[in-house]
Amino acid sequence: MDEEDSVGANKCPVCGSDPRTHPGLRFKINTKCYHRICEGCVDRHFSSGKAECPVGGCHVSLWKREWRTQTFEDLKIEREVEIRRRVTKILDRREEEFETKRDYDDFLELREELVMNLVFRTDVAATNRKLKEYAQANGIKTDPTDGPEPGAKAPRRKDMAPDAADQSGLIKGLKRIVIPEAKAPYDPFMGMPRTREYYEVKESYITRVRGKPAEAMLAGGYDFAQYMDESLLRAFAGLGVFIEDEMSARDNTAIPVPGPT
């Protein structure tokens, strides 16, 4: 193909714009039908919302944001790279998630098989169904441009089986999910009983000091009575702790230092 034919092949299939007569003409492609049209046609056909691809005979519905600048000169390479990116985003597993190295190798072989099915258009419907079922079972959003199906609810992590690494059954050999035990909330008093035997908070104290009902006062996010109670608790928390007893107990358990011989 000579230079003139090459330039002619770059014409927009919709409006016929030619780079020879429109310097700076830029083209965009989409990752569904991979048709290539100029930016002007993208703006005219998709600025109002979702519409069909304007290339003759194509009825794929697209959003304007689905059109992007072409990366590779060969559209076949462009398509394969996009398919690999999409499949890898869904089947994103690491070696440490599998029981054995053989299980991980089987997973890589499965992923490559699914990629090749889409690249060479073999069992496309079955392959897409497997990917969709896996994504839905594992709470993965596959297409950010499409909204949820009517009446469909996205699965929530808390609704999934706690010991299932893949509920769809597509991937084999995954380790069982081990949920760690919940940690106890932090206790600044380190288990010391929080008794209020050293003081008593009365409503009359608060009302007399402030001259307002306790409900009208807040302090640090607490009700004022709660704030005063917490402050007094911390102030009196040291009562009943005898430093001398603790020091003697510490000295008795200390390792003696041998003297000079």
Side-chain angles (χ1 to χ4, degrees):
M1 180 182 293
D2 56 24
E3 182 178 356
E4 183 176 354
D5 293 336
S6 177
V7 174
N10 287 331
K11 289 183 178 181
C12 176
V14 179
C15 66
S17 298
D18 193 321
R20 294 174 297 181
T21 57
H22 296 78
L25 182 67
R26 293 187 296 183
F27 292 87
K28 288 192 173 183
I29 63 170
N30 69 82
T31 56
K32 288 188 175 180
C33 62
Y34 286 91
H35 284 134
R36 182 171 174 267
I37 64 177
C38 68
E39 284 186 334
C41 289
V42 172
D43 292 336
R44 283 192 298 271
H45 288 84
F46 298 95
S47 293
S48 299
K50 197 171 187 179
E52 290 186 353
C53 177
V55 177
C58 183
H59 302 288
V60 176
S61 295
L62 300 164
W63 293 97
K64 183 179 180 180
R65 59 179 174 268
E66 293 182 88
W67 293 88
R68 61 175 178 80
T69 304
Q70 183 176 347
T71 304
F72 300 95
E73 183 177 356
D74 191 341
L75 283 179
K76 293 181 179 179
I77 298 177
E78 186 88 26
R79 179 173 172 270
E80 180 176 344
V81 169
E82 179 62 27
I83 289 174
R84 289 187 178 277
R85 184 199 64 80
R86 181 169 67 89
V87 174
T88 303
K89 182 179 179 181
I90 297 174
L91 302 179
D92 184 16
R93 295 287 184 173
R94 300 181 299 274
E95 183 176 352
E96 55 266 25
E97 297 181 63
F98 291 83
E99 294 286 352
T100 63
K101 180 67 166 57
R102 177 60 184 270
D103 292 330
Y104 180 62
D105 291 340
D106 291 342
F107 160 72
L108 295 179
E109 184 176 350
L110 169 66
R111 188 168 67 183
E112 185 66 18
E113 179 183 351
L114 296 177
V115 169
M116 289 295 101
N117 285 347
L118 297 177
V119 170
F120 293 105
R121 296 182 172 87
T122 304
D123 297 331
V124 175
T127 301
N128 284 328
R129 185 178 66 253
K130 291 179 181 179
L131 293 173
K132 184 176 181 180
E133 291 175 354
Y134 174 85
Q136 290 179 345
N138 292 275
I140 302 173
K141 190 174 182 181
T142 57
D143 190 352
T145 61
D146 291 338
E149 297 179 0
K153 294 183 178 179
R156 297 173 298 178
R157 288 289 180 185
K158 66 179 183 179
D159 296 333
M160 298 180 181
D163 60 345
D166 173 24
Q167 295 193 94
S168 69
L170 179 63
I171 301 177
K172 309 297 182 182
L174 288 169
K175 295 179 181 178
R176 296 171 65 89
I177 297 176
V178 179
I179 301 177
E181 296 182 0
K183 295 183 179 180
Y186 173 71
D187 181 13
F189 294 93
M190 302 179 65
M192 188 173 63
R194 303 184 63 178
T195 59
R196 287 154 172 81
E197 58 188 30
Y198 303 113
Y199 65 91
E200 180 181 0
V201 180
K202 294 184 178 181
E203 182 68 22
S204 59
Y205 296 164
I206 304 173
T207 306
R208 185 168 63 250
V209 171
R210 294 296 188 184
K212 297 180 181 179
E215 293 78 8
M217 294 179 291
L218 296 175
Y222 291 93
D223 175 84
F224 196 80
Q226 292 177 322
Y227 176 75
M228 178 176 287
D229 181 57
E230 189 72 17
S231 300
L232 291 173
L233 175 63
R234 297 184 183 186
F236 287 95
L239 295 180
V241 178
F242 302 98
I243 304 299
E244 292 183 358
D245 295 343
E246 292 187 359
M247 292 181 64
S248 60
R250 182 196 63 186
D251 295 339
N252 292 334
T253 57
I255 300 176
V257 179
T261 57

